[in-house]
């Protein structure tokens, strides 16, 4: 074929598995982690203005958790390290590092959630 000036078709690229189910608990969705339906949130809204609760929700979500409630459920009641003067989260193990080599996120005392990032922060409400 090459002698006649015709190029062979390119080798096909193997298909990726886009929707493959995660293999470890840290990669599963929040819905599969909660053991009972009572711990699942009943609604969610996006943050519109900054306040300390939004700041802490931002920090938990940066570490891979839905919120503090999910963090406590997954870690078996591990206490959250907070800055004493602001009450903001100081240090969190990342959700991906649970059951593996520990990897922590350290947060400063000052606000980290910029106004431009507010729409990314999810605030969950529970039935109780």
């Amino acid at each position: 074929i090459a002698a006649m000036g015709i190029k062979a078709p390119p080798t096909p690229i193997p298909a990726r598995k886009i929707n493959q189910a995660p293999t470890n608990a840290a990669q599963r969705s929040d819905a599969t982690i909660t053991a009972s339906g009572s711990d699942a949130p009943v609604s969610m809204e996006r943050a519109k203005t900054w306040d300390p609760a939004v700041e802490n929700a931002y920090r938990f979500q940066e570490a891979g958790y839905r919120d503090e409630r999910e963090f406590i459920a997954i870690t078996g009641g591990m206490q959250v390290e907070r800055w004493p003067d602001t009450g903001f989260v100081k240090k969190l193990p990342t959700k991906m590092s649970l059951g593996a080599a520990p990897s922590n996120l350290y947060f400063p005392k000052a606000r980290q959630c910029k106004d431009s990032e507010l729409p990314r922060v999810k605030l969950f409400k529970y039935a109780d």
Side-chain angles (χ1 to χ4, degrees), residues 81-96:
E81 248 185 85
R82 297 181 183 274
W83 290 103
D85 49 342
T86 62
F88 295 156
V89 173
K90 182 178 185 178
K91 178 179 94 171
L92 288 172
T94 61
K95 189 173 180 181
M96 294 298 292

Side-chain angles (χ1 to χ4, degrees), residues 49-56 88 111 118 123:
T49 58
W50 184 91
D51 67 20
V54 169
E55 179 67 32
N56 281 328
F88 295 156
R111 173 183 173 176
L118 284 174
L123 303 173

Side-chain angles (χ1 to χ4, degrees), residues 21-29 32-33 95-96 98 100:
T23 56
N24 67 26
Q27 293 175 331
R28 291 186 202 136
S29 71
T32 59
I33 290 174
K95 189 173 180 181
M96 294 298 292
L98 296 176

Side-chain angles (χ1 to χ4, degrees), residues 1-85:
I1 296 176
M4 297 177 3
I6 301 172
K7 294 182 180 178
T11 306
I13 299 171
R16 296 185 309 164
K17 294 180 181 178
I18 296 173
N19 293 325
Q20 184 177 8
T23 56
N24 67 26
Q27 293 175 331
R28 291 186 202 136
S29 71
D30 298 335
T32 59
I33 290 174
T34 55
S36 65
S38 64
D39 202 28
V42 293
S43 67
M44 183 276 296
E45 65 181 38
R46 302 276 179 172
K48 293 176 180 48
T49 58
W50 184 91
D51 67 20
V54 169
E55 179 67 32
N56 281 328
Y58 173 80
R59 292 174 185 220
F60 279 105
Q61 290 166 22
E62 283 293 300
Y65 303 99
R66 179 179 60 221
D67 54 17
E68 185 172 1
R69 230 170 154 159
E70 183 192 44
F71 170 80
I72 292 169
I74 289 176
T75 60
M78 180 187 288
Q79 291 296 314
V80 178
E81 248 185 85
R82 297 181 183 274
W83 290 103
D85 49 342

Side-chain angles (χ1 to χ4, degrees), residues 88-119:
F88 295 156
V89 173
K90 182 178 185 178
K91 178 179 94 171
L92 288 172
T94 61
K95 189 173 180 181
M96 294 298 292
S97 72
L98 296 176
S103 175
N104 293 314
L105 281 181
Y106 295 86
F107 299 99
K109 289 182 187 181
R111 173 183 173 176
Q112 290 296 291
C113 182
K114 301 174 187 167
D115 285 338
S116 63
E117 295 174 325
L118 284 174

